[in-house]
């Protein structure tokens, strides 16, 4: 027996409701409505989390590629103040998303997604791009030091900021004259200079803070190893990917792989998206 509410009626209702919510949500509802009309499940939302010394614009080329294929994408700004507080912030972003999520993290963002996804059941896949994958009790700096090869310590400098309690906090930035070589080798120099000028500092405390959750233990994971990474030793990336049993690709790329090699990064994300769609 047919339902008195047709698929067309549902689609129209979704679009009408979205009009009152703004252009961004209207676009999302339009895709959902199209899926309802054709009897298909909506694709997962892809959420991209940047890491230290970067901002959401580091995902720009990846976002463009994903959007051209009709995917819903979010790339929020990460505070970079502390692992627990950053993870809580991203969990709030995820809770605003309806439907399944493919959660992607670069660098320190990998530690954030591992913790944020632990209490967020709509996250169906984790994608790590030259990223930290800590177990409970491990910190980003601890994993950096597990294997030789990182030159980040020599490339960074400290700056200080006031804390609410009257003390001082310490945060790190990459020296501008070393940024290209350290973070974005292979990226055109003018682009790297813009990235260096707009880099987001990360607190030393965030890099030292141990993880309290490790969602990769039960959520399917993918990993891109960047063989020219000077922030995280490639040997550490291989080791973390293997421990997480992640589907792994190896790319001759610097730490800023999403900027230098957006094609392979996008391809890996799409593999995760296809897996989620086939499982649901």
């Amino acid at each position: 027996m047919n339902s008195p509410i047709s698929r067309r009626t549902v689609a129209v209702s979704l679009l009408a409701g979205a009009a009152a919510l703004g252009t961004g949500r209207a676009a999302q509802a339009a895709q959902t409505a199209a899926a309802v009309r054709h009897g298909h499940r909506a694709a997962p939302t892809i959420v991209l989390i940047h890491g230290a010394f970067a901002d959401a614009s580091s995902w720009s080329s990846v976002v463009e590629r994903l959007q051209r294929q009709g995917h819903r994408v979010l790339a929020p700004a990460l505070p970079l103040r502390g692992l627990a507080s950053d993870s809580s912030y991203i969990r709030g972003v995820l809770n605003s998303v309806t439907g399944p999520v493919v959660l992607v993290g670069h660098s320190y963002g990998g530690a954030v997604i591992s913790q944020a996804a632990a209490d967020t059941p709509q996250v169906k896949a984790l994608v790590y791009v030259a990223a930290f994958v800590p177990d409970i009790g491990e910190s980003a700096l601890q994993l950096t030091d597990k294997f030789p090869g990182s030159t980040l310590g020599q490339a960074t400098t400290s700056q200080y900021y006031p804390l609410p309690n009257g003390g001082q906090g310490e945060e790190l930035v990459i020296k501008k004259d070393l940024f290209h070589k350290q973070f974005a080798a292979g990226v055109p120099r003018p682009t790297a200079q813009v990235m260096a000028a707009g880099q987001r500092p990360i607190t030393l405390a965030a890099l030292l803070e141990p993880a309290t959750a490790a969602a990769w233990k039960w959520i399917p994971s993918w990993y891109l190893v960047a063989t020219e990474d000077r922030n995280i030793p490639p040997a550490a990336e291989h080791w973390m990917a293997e421990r997480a049993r992640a589907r792994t690709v190896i790319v001759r790329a610097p730490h800023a792989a999403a900027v230098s090699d957006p094609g392979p990064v996008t391809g890996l994300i799409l593999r995760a998206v296809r897996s989620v769609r086939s499982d649901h």
Side-chain angles (χ1 to χ4, degrees):
M1 183 176 179
N2 292 332
S3 168
I5 302 178
S6 68
R7 284 178 179 162
R8 183 177 183 281
T9 301
V10 173
V12 170
S13 297
L14 283 168
L15 288 171
L21 296 175
T23 304
R25 290 195 178 183
Q28 180 172 339
Q31 290 182 332
T32 305
V36 172
R37 283 198 301 270
H38 295 94
H40 300 312
R41 293 182 182 273
T45 299
I46 302 164
V47 181
L48 306 170
I49 308 302
H50 67 82
F53 318 115
D55 61 17
S57 69
S58 61
W59 293 111
S60 294
S61 294
V62 173
V63 171
E64 290 171 2
R65 284 165 168 77
L66 293 171
Q67 288 182 335
R68 279 203 300 266
Q69 297 193 38
H71 294 284
R72 298 188 301 276
V73 186
L74 293 176
L78 190 60
L80 302 174
R81 299 293 88 181
L83 182 56
S85 60
D86 289 340
S87 300
S88 179
Y89 178 83
I90 293 304
R91 195 175 298 115
V93 173
L94 297 174
N95 287 338
S96 72
V97 177
T98 301
V101 169
V102 171
L103 186 56
V104 185
H106 170 242
S107 189
Y108 165 78
V112 172
I113 70 170
S114 297
Q115 191 151 312
D119 299 316
T120 316
Q122 69 259 45
V123 177
K124 304 301 181 184
L126 298 169
V127 182
Y128 297 91
V129 179
F132 293 108
V133 190
D135 201 348
I136 295 170
E138 294 177 342
S139 70
L141 282 184
Q142 181 180 347
L143 290 168
T144 300
D145 293 339
K146 192 172 184 66
F147 294 87
S150 175
T151 55
L152 182 62
Q154 305 95 290
T156 55
T157 186
S158 294
Q159 54 191 35
Y160 300 90
Y161 62 96
L163 294 172
N165 63 7
Q168 275 194 328
E170 181 180 359
E171 60 185 12
L172 303 176
V173 294
I174 297 177
K175 300 170 186 174
K176 289 185 174 60
D177 60 330
L178 297 179
F179 188 94
H180 190 198
K181 180 180 179 181
Q182 177 65 38
F183 195 84
V187 173
R189 183 170 293 278
T191 301
Q193 289 174 335
V194 171
M195 293 171 65
Q199 67 175 295
R200 296 277 305 282
I202 185 168
T203 65
L204 180 60
L207 296 175
L208 291 169
E209 187 175 341
T212 59
W216 51 267
K217 291 186 174 182
W218 63 87
I219 299 176
S221 301
W222 284 255
Y223 199 107
L224 184 142
V225 173
T227 63
E228 307 305 304
D229 199 329
R230 291 180 173 142
N231 278 27
I232 306 174
E237 294 180 9
H238 278 287
W239 182 81
M240 289 185 286
E242 185 175 350
R243 180 176 66 171
R245 298 180 180 178
R247 290 90 159 166
T248 302
V249 298
I250 300 170
V251 179
R252 191 174 184 273
H255 189 63
V259 182
S260 65
D261 295 87
V265 172
T266 303
L268 185 65
I269 294 169
L270 290 175
R271 284 173 57 184
V273 169
R274 286 192 293 270
S275 175
V276 171
R277 296 193 75 170
S278 66
D279 290 344
H280 294 82

